[in-house]
Amino acid sequence: MNADVLIKKIKALKIQGAKNVALAGLEALNIYASEIKSGNKEKFLKELGSKAGVVASSRPTEPALRNSISFIMRRLYRCRDVTEIRKTLSAEIAEFSENIESTIKKIGEIGARRISNGDVVFTHCHSNTVIGIFRRAKLEGKKFSVVCTETRPMNQGLITAKELAKMRIPVTLIVDSAARTFMKKCDMVIIGADAITSTGDVVNKIGSSTMALIAEDLKKPFYVAAGTHKVDPATAQGFLEVIEERPKKEVAKKINGVEIRNPAFDVVAARRITGIITESGVMPPQNVYKLAGKFN
Ligand code: RUB
């Protein structure tokens, strides 16, 4: 696979979801590195550094991607020569990828404990981490069902619905505007996350904050499932999470005299989150920043 093609796929949402984006970004970085000819350490790192910038900015609201790239680049700057850089790059990519997989597995185990027989769980968009919880609960023999929104404008909810149907988990697909109607009959909401800020706010697919408001109104527990590698350290330094604005054509064809806007994400306030299900346990949102580790 060509690295530029991978980046195009990330930008076009052909690869989506924080986990998939981070792993594809690392793959692109690895391919870019394999194409660098220079045997000089400084020149090699300069070239790779500029490619790392391209990869990291392919989706602006993805700290998991940025954190993975900066974790790896930090390691590479400590290498003696290009041979060591190449070896280290493969090893660090493997370590980060394994960490993401084991994080999702752990969150699956912890999150599944919140699901009981007969529960109806509401979700929005498509999250590998949330799917991991459903997979685990199903594996444990729990009988539950899921309501998922289609998630306009790119309909990632269909990916969720199809994955659940494949696992034989009963699933109902609804339009986003039917959220309140269906959430009334749900026992809890579980969504994924793209970013967790230092104050515990969560950035996730557009509409997530609306789902949180509805859940608050209906007094339903509202959980976020996300690994601590999604904590954005820049938010502790005063930077606000950048919200990606996507092409207008995803929403509608050009209409004269009409402004079209397409923000990809919004912010769920920490106070509306019952708990963030992390690999270290179910945490109050404000505590998650303290769990940030070597991958942030
Ligand atoms: C996807 C989205 C998901 C998180 C989940 O947005 O908001 O909830 O990325 O992450 P998009 P994970 O489709 O625009 O990428 O898969 O790591 O749980």
Side-chain angles (χ1 to χ4, degrees):
M1 171 76 80
N2 176 298
D4 291 339
V5 172
L6 265 178
I7 298 297
K8 270 195 193 137
K9 283 189 167 182
I10 292 174
K11 287 187 174 171
L13 292 192
K14 297 235 161 52
I15 298 170
Q16 62 75 230
K19 173 210 166 185
N20 296 339
V21 168
L23 294 184
L26 291 181
E27 193 185 334
L29 189 72
N30 205 12
I31 299 169
Y32 282 133
S34 71
E35 289 164 354
I36 300 174
K37 303 271 181 292
S38 179
N40 173 283
K41 180 190 156 182
E42 278 69 35
K43 278 191 187 149
F44 187 100
L45 283 175
K46 197 169 170 225
E47 238 181 278
L48 190 63
S50 97
K51 292 297 185 190
V54 171
V55 177
S57 60
S58 58
R59 294 288 309 270
T61 320
E62 290 297 357
L65 172 68
R66 284 197 298 276
N67 290 343
S68 68
I69 300 288
S70 64
F71 161 75
I72 282 160
M73 291 306 291
R74 280 197 304 270
R75 293 284 206 277
L76 300 188
Y77 282 108
R78 281 187 234 138
C79 294
R80 279 187 309 269
D81 52 32
V82 172
T83 312
E84 194 184 334
I85 288 175
R86 290 194 192 280
K87 245 171 76 187
T88 308
L89 182 62
S90 311
E92 300 299 347
I93 287 178
E95 189 189 346
F96 195 89
S97 309
E98 275 160 31
N99 177 267
I100 287 193
E101 298 298 351
S102 65
T103 292
I104 290 181
K105 191 162 173 267
K106 191 76 201 155
I107 292 173
E109 287 164 19
I110 297 170
R113 293 186 192 125
R114 295 276 156 139
I115 300 179
S116 306
N117 273 327
D119 275 353
V120 185
V121 186
F122 188 102
T123 193
H124 180 57
C125 197
H126 171 257
S127 155
N128 296 285
T129 320
V130 175
I131 292 280
I133 293 176
F134 295 150
R135 179 176 293 116
R136 176 69 192 208
K138 168 82 182 174
L139 216 80
E140 291 174 1
K142 289 182 178 163
K143 304 262 182 282
F144 63 99
S145 62
V146 176
V147 172
C148 81
T149 55
E150 60 177 350
T151 318
R152 278 271 297 147
M154 295 300 277
N155 297 325
Q156 291 94 327
L158 265 72
I159 307 173
T160 304
K162 284 177 187 164
E163 288 184 2
L164 295 178
K166 220 168 154 189
M167 287 188 257
R168 301 195 181 284
I169 296 171
V171 56
T172 305
L173 182 70
I174 59 167
V175 296
D176 300 345
S177 39
R180 192 175 193 284
T181 304
F182 283 84
M183 207 188 288
K184 277 182 200 161
K185 295 168 198 113
C186 291
D187 296 283
M188 73 192 82
V189 180
I190 311 180
I191 63 161
D194 288 278
I196 302 169
T197 72
S198 58
T199 51
D201 296 332
V202 162
V203 183
N204 192 53
K205 179 53 53 192
I206 192 77
S208 296
S209 68
T210 315
M211 303 306 153
L213 274 166
I214 299 172
E216 185 179 59
D217 178 46
L218 297 171
K219 302 192 172 44
K220 306 285 179 181
F222 190 94
Y223 292 104
V224 173
T228 56
H229 60 281
K230 305 231 175 127
V231 170
D232 188 346
T235 55
Q237 303 305 318
F239 295 101
L240 288 174
E241 199 61 43
V242 173
I243 302 291
E244 176 187 0
E245 183 97 19
R246 296 197 48 84
K248 300 176 194 310
K249 62 175 190 250
E250 288 179 355
V251 176
K253 277 193 194 137
K254 189 173 164 42
I255 310 165
N256 284 338
V258 176
E259 191 196 5
I260 296 173
R261 295 283 310 272
N262 187 16
F265 302 101
D266 63 14
V267 183
V268 181
R271 68 178 183 282
R272 300 210 164 88
I273 299 170
T274 310
I276 300 188
I277 309 168
T278 73
E279 69 275 25
S280 304
V282 185
M283 300 286 160
Q286 294 82 353
N287 287 11
V288 176
Y289 177 73
K290 291 183 210 133
L291 299 171
K294 67 174 183 177
F295 295 115
N296 297 87

